Amino acid sequence: KVFRGLADQGPSSDRITALLEDHHAQLWIGAEDGGVSVLANGRFERLSVCAGRCRVFQLLQPKGAVVATTDEGTFAIDPVTHHARLVADRRLGFGAVASGEAYVADLDQLWRIEASGLQPVPLPATLGKIGLLQAVGGELWVAGNDMIYRRAHGEWIPVAAEHPWPVVSLLVKDATGQVWVSDTHGRTF
């Protein structure tokens, strides 16, 4: 099927920036200029998140909610009622779900999303500016300033610290358990 951003018949916009299929088989659609829409039971619902006008960076699904990071803030959305609440009014462009918990970040700080709001998560002093936040094999990984760290048991562990990692663009774990790293220079390790 092809869906178009037509009035009352499709997603809020054709300029899609994020997609997520949740545990209820609903398709969540984030748009560059139209907020968040949900395809549930064959019908589109346009949500009131940021009045349906914001840019959506990411859609995440931790335990119990769908999280939308946007240019107008971070929202937690109930996957059943589709009611949204503002978690943080700051622009947080990075997000990841690790071990069932949602993490969001800007260039300088990392937070865990909790029912009460954002809980700061201390970063390694040598990390510098955050360039990538990603879940790899259930662990939270962060890259910045030529360093990569993974978080295990509440501790940050450097990954191949003897190797400089200039501007990491992607981390992926393959079927054998190896982690592949790509950087903006077009190299893969």
Side-chain angles (χ1 to χ4, degrees), residues 143-148 159-168 171 181-183 187-189:
N145 279 17
D146 295 342
M147 297 290 295
I148 299 175
V159 176
E162 70 284 351
H163 182 87
W165 298 105
V167 196
V168 174
L171 297 166
V181 179
S182 291
D183 64 24
R187 299 177 299 184
T188 301
F189 303 90

Side-chain angles (χ1 to χ4, degrees), residues 2-12 14 37-39 42-46:
V2 176
F3 300 106
R4 296 265 182 219
L6 303 172
D8 301 324
Q9 296 178 12
S12 58
D14 290 333
S37 303
V38 180
L39 175 59
R43 296 184 57 231
F44 284 94
E45 179 183 350
R46 297 174 185 197

